[in-house]
Amino acid sequence: MTKKTLTKSDFVEVVAAQEGIETKKAAKQAIEAFINGVKSVLGDNNDLVLSGFGKFTVEHKETEKRFFGITQDVIEVPAHNLYKAKLSKTLIKNK
């Protein structure tokens, strides 16, 4: 079995075919709505759990100093958010 990487437009076709959505445009709108919803929740620094699919989390990292070994400098990394996603075990098992 060869592995294939799907693009967003390929995924739109898959969703349209599986769910019986008549147009690719409607399937694309549904996918865009999902993506925008996830962005909105994470943008508000909230975690999101979708049972049977996965967990999306936001972790805030404070400003910290790190040693940069190549130049022997100490650099300051500004505060930032880390966005993480973990797939549900049921999603992985139900191939």
Side-chain angles (χ1 to χ4, degrees):
M1 182 169 107
T2 60
K3 182 178 175 180
K4 182 180 177 185
T5 300
L6 297 175
T7 64
K8 190 180 201 179
S9 61
D10 295 331
F11 187 61
V12 166
E13 290 179 20
V14 170
V15 170
Q18 283 185 347
E19 298 303 316
I21 299 173
E22 294 187 20
T23 65
K24 290 180 188 176
K25 184 177 180 181
K28 184 177 179 180
Q29 288 174 337
I31 292 169
E32 288 291 335
F34 171 77
I35 292 170
N36 289 333
V38 172
K39 284 181 182 179
S40 175
V41 169
L42 296 177
D44 292 338
N45 291 325
N46 295 315
D47 294 344
L48 175 64
V49 177
L50 299 171
S51 298
F53 183 72
K55 180 177 183 178
F56 300 87
T57 58
V58 179
E59 182 181 319
H60 183 75
K61 292 284 192 176
E62 295 295 332
T63 301
E64 63 180 332
K65 293 184 180 184
R66 292 186 186 168
F67 180 72
F68 189 58
I70 295 173
T71 62
Q72 305 295 312
D73 292 336
V74 175
I75 58 173
E76 187 170 299
V77 179
H80 60 281
N81 288 330
L82 290 176
Y83 300 95
K84 299 179 181 182
K86 184 175 180 181
L87 293 177
S88 168
K89 290 180 182 178
T90 58
L91 179 69
I92 296 169
K93 289 180 185 178
N94 294 330
K95 290 182 182 178

